[in-house]
Structure formats: structure tokens, C-alpha cells
């Protein structure tokens, strides 16, 4: 009974993650904020984790961002590449993960994205059928977003991989590590 | 011939990891039993009734941990159970296996820290792989088994920037595998 209520609570927090939560990251009005405005990108406040973890961890000059769930105005982006999603739709989902990463990063940096020196590592997991082979093109959705924002420093030592299943049935999940000033 | 000998040794190591053969690990350097230093975290483990098993020897060509500056990287750890979540295991059963994986991580961490788990500053990153059916969607609840164990032991600093993912297959047929990175003092 106790365990059941635990799982019910975990399910609820998963639902809550599709909504915006937490305090809004302060606008620093910096160079990167101007770039985001120019690109028409609105970074929502970091969403709450869907389970027992934190959105980011800082160690020295590195910021580790937890695996981000893609979501848009309709909620979490659910699907499987090769079955019910095109590579282009997957690209948009990966871009949405990238925007979620920006929200976490902004929270980690007290709102000041200008402190980012480079994106070190990206791992992009794509919910795929066994014969789907364009995971790298899907995760370009994250990578090209970061390049648009930070230039070449936004490109990471990257791995894009397929998986047969992801939490909540999401189309992709992206985690990242940044060097910050 | 050389290759055959190599393969035989790999298979033997895998069997050893599954607890089916103890003597097969003789060619590996045995990891020393984790010494108890009677610290704060050891007391916490005792209170939770957790006894850390001897750190596992690797089942292939890798080291169980690496230290770089103030970081410790722990190699993928998984309990010996074999199966697929969503078919052979429920989320709750797999949660317990992820918890066991977390205990295996702690065993390695303790060896890396010469027995002193009090040196842990925080768990930085946790990657949890769950062997699952294609329509399974509760990987995050499974890996809570590891995360909540670390939180019980280290408090909120035991929670990591985490990724829980599914996979269709894992070495030796493991149900789950957990990779962790810690900041240490």
C-alpha cells in the first residue's frame, strides 16, 4: 500500500513535469539572451525532475545537465522514430530537449548564459525501431540549436544512439555537460 | 588458438560475475574487501541494514573505477538477474534490482576511496540503463531504486544529474546497469 502510493506520487510528478514549474530564471540581458531573442527562442523555466534526481550538478567549472524530456505546447513529445515519427519530427523533438537543457543551464548559472565557454559533451538517445538509422540527424536538432547560439563552441563531443524505449514514451532524451566561466 | 583462449577467459569471467563459478576469476586481480572505517556513512549503511558486498571484478576489459582529480567514475554495475522489464519483471521488482546495482556501485566507490565513503561530496551523474520491452515507459521509476538509495545514504547530495533510458539488450542479459560519477573530497 505504501509502495503503491509511492508509485502514484511518482506518476503525478511525471505529469507535473509537463507543466512549467519552479521560479523563472532571471534574465541577465546578456549577449546570449539577445541571441536567443534574435532566434525567437523562449527559454522556459527549468522543469521539475520527473523522478529522484536533480536537474543539474556543478563541479568546478563543469555543469552536468540531467537527461531532458522534450516537450512543446501540447505536452511531452511522445513517439518512436521509424514507427510513428519522421526524422524531421525527431529533429524538432531533439531541439525541444535542447531548449529544456538551456532552461536547466540558466538555472545553474543564476540566469547568466554568457558564462558558458563551451559545450563539452552531448548524449542523445533516440526512441527507435530496430532498423532506424538516422539517430545522428535527429540529435542534430540539439547540436544545431547550440551552434546557432554559441557558434562552434556550442558543438560537443557527441554521441547519438538509438534505444528501444524511453521513460514516459518520449521520442528522445538528451543530456549535456558544459564548461562555464 | 590465442583467440580461443581469450574467449574462454571472457566466458569464465562472465560466469564468475553471475555467481556460478568462483574460481574462474583467479586471473583477475582480486579487489580487496572494503575496509570499514567506522565513519558517518558506514553508520548510515548499518542503520539501513545494508552490508556492502565485495567489489566485483570486471567481466571484460575494463577497470571498475577511475579517479581523475576530485572525480571518481564507476564502471557500469548490474545485479546478476537476467530478464526484460515489462515482460519478466515488473517496475517494482526492477526497482529492487536498481537498488542492488546502487549497492554494487557503493562497493566499488568504497574501494576507490580506501574504505572512506565520508569523502563523497556529491553524486554528479547517474546513467541508468533498463533492459525493457519496446513499449515500456517507466525506466525513470526503475532507476529511482538507485537514486533513492543514494539519497537515503548521502542526503540530497546523493541525487545526481541523471538519465534513465531503456535498451533492448545488456551484457549477460542483465536487467539493468548503472553508471555513476561522484565528486570526492
Amino acid at each position: 500500500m505504501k509502495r503503491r502510493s509511492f508509485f502514484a506520487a511518482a506518476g503525478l510528478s511525471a505529469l507535473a513535469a509537463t507543466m512549467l514549474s519552479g521560479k523563472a530564471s532571471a534574465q541577465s540581458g546578456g549577449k546570449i539572451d539577445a541571441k536567443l531573442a534574435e532566434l525567437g527562442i523562449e527559454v522556459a523555466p527549468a522543469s521539475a525532475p520527473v523522478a529522484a534526481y536533480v536537474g543539474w550538478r556543478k563541479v568546478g567549472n563543469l555543469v552536468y545537465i540531467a537527461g531532458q524530456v522534450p516537450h512543446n505546447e501540447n505536452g511531452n513529445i511522445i513517439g518512436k522514430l521509424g514507427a510513428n515519427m519522421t526524422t524531421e519530427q525527431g529533429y524538432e523533438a531533439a531541439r525541444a530537449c535542447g531548449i529544456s537543457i538551456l532552461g536547466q543551464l540558466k538555472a545553474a548559472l543564476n540566469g547568466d548564459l554568457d558564462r558558458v565557454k563551451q559545450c563539452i559533451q552531448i548524449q542523445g538517445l533516440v526512441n527507435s525501431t530496430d532498423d532506424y538509422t538516422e539517430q545522428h540527424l535527429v540529435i542534430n536538432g540539439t547540436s544545431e540549436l547550440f551552434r546557432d547560439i554559441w557558434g562552434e563552441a556550442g558543438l560537443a563531443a557527441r554521441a547519438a544512439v538509438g534505444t528501444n524505449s524511453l521513460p514516459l514514451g518520449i521520442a528522445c532524451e538528451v543530456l549535456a555537460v558544459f564548461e562555464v566561466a | 588458438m590465442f583467440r580461443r583462449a581469450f574467449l574462454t577467459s571472457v566466458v569464465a569471467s562472465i560466469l564468475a560475475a553471475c555467481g556460478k563459478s568462483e574460481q574462474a576469476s583467479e586471473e583477475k586481480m582480486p579487489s580487496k574487501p572494503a575496509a570499514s572505517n567506522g565513519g558517518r556513512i558506514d553508520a548510515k549503511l548499518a542503520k539501513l541494514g545494508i552490508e556492502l558486498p565485495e567489489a566485483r571484478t570486471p567481466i571484460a576489459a575494463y577497470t571498475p573505477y577511475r579517479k581523475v582529480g576530485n572525480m571518481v567514475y564507476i564502471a557500469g554495475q548490474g545485479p546478476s538477474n537476467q530478464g526484460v522489464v515489462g515482460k519478466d519483471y515488473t517496475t517494482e521488482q526492477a526497482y529492487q534490482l536498481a537498488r542492488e546495482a546502487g549497492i554494487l556501485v557503493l562497493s566499488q566507490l568504497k574501494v576507490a576511496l580506501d574504505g572512506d565513503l565520508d569523502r563523497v561530496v556529491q553524486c554528479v551523474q547517474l546513467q541508468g540503463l533498463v533492459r525493457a520491452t519496446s513499449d515500456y515507459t517507466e525506466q525513470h521509476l526503475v532507476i529511482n531504486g538507485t537514486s533513492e538509495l543514494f539519497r537515503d545514504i548521502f542526503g540530497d547530495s546523493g541525487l545526481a544529474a541523471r538519465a534513465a533510458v531503456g535498451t533492448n539488450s545488456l551484457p549477460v542479459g542483465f536487467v539493468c546497469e548503472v553508471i555513476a560519477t561522484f565528486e570526492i573530497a
Side-chain angles (χ1 to χ4, degrees), chain A residues 3 6-7 10 50-54 57-59 64-67 80 123 125 163-169 173 175, chain B residues 71 92 122-124 127 132-134 136-137 139-141 144 147-148 156-157 159-168:
Chain A
R3 179 158 297 278
F6 154 69
F7 278 109
V50 300
Y53 59 91
V54 292
R57 279 279 185 219
K58 263 196 280 194
V59 184
Y64 291 74
I65 309 291
K80 200 180 282 287
Q123 291 185 57
L125 297 130
T163 172
N164 70 331
S165 57
L166 284 175
L168 313 172
E173 177 176 342
L175 41 160
Chain B
M71 301 281 273
E92 294 188 23
Q122 60 179 347
C123 185
V124 175
Q127 292 188 56
T133 55
S134 290
Y136 184 74
T137 58
Q139 290 84 355
H140 54 305
L141 302 183
N144 276 358
S147 303
E148 292 177 356
D156 282 342
S157 55
L159 294 179
R162 197 189 85 168
V165 301
T167 174
N168 67 328

Side-chain angles (χ1 to χ4, degrees), chain A residues 43-135:
Chain A
V43 177
S47 53
V50 300
Y53 59 91
V54 292
W56 48 270
R57 279 279 185 219
K58 263 196 280 194
V59 184
N61 59 346
L62 295 177
V63 178
Y64 291 74
I65 309 291
Q68 295 297 302
V69 169
H71 55 84
N72 58 24
E73 61 279 5
N74 300 318
N76 292 339
I77 302 175
I78 307 295
K80 200 180 282 287
L81 278 291
N84 52 24
M85 272 185 118
T86 64
T87 296
E88 291 69 29
Q89 289 170 321
Y91 179 98
E92 288 304 319
R95 191 171 190 276
C97 284
I99 293 173
S100 294
I101 286 173
L102 295 177
Q104 297 291 357
L105 190 56
K106 203 160 179 166
L109 299 176
N110 297 317
D112 187 3
L113 288 175
D114 288 0
R115 286 173 59 196
V116 171
K117 291 179 81 171
Q118 59 179 342
C119 185
I120 305 283
Q121 193 182 52
I122 287 180
Q123 291 185 57
L125 297 130
V126 180
N127 199 340
S128 311
T129 56
D130 286 352
D131 55 357
Y132 184 74
T133 57
E134 297 189 329
Q135 288 85 0

Side-chain angles (χ1 to χ4, degrees), chain B residues 64-183:
Chain B
Y65 63 86
R66 278 282 186 218
K67 269 196 279 193
V68 185
N70 60 345
M71 301 281 273
V72 179
Y73 292 76
I74 308 290
Q77 303 290 316
S80 304
N81 304 59
Q82 300 171 344
V84 178
V85 186
K87 195 178 80 172
D88 311 315
Y89 288 89
T90 64
T91 296
E92 294 188 23
Q93 289 169 328
Y95 174 98
Q96 290 304 327
L97 295 178
R99 189 173 188 277
E100 283 180 39
I103 290 172
L104 296 173
V105 168
L106 293 177
S107 287
Q108 299 293 359
L109 186 58
K110 191 157 183 168
V111 173
L113 298 178
D114 299 318
D116 187 4
L117 287 173
D118 288 2
R119 287 172 60 196
V120 172
V121 174
Q122 60 179 347
C123 185
V124 175
Q125 196 181 47
L126 188 69
Q127 292 188 56
L129 297 136
V130 179
R131 187 175 174 215
T133 55
S134 290
D135 56 356
Y136 184 74
T137 58
E138 298 189 327
Q139 290 84 355
H140 54 305
L141 302 183
V142 170
I143 301 303
N144 276 358
T146 311
S147 303
E148 292 177 356
L149 171 73
F150 290 175
R151 184 175 57 190
D152 288 347
I153 294 167
F154 301 107
D156 282 342
S157 55
L159 294 179
R162 197 189 85 168
V165 301
T167 174
N168 67 328
S169 56
L170 283 174
V172 203
F174 287 162
V175 176
C176 61
E177 178 174 342
V178 174
I179 310 161
T181 307
F182 293 86
E183 183 190 3

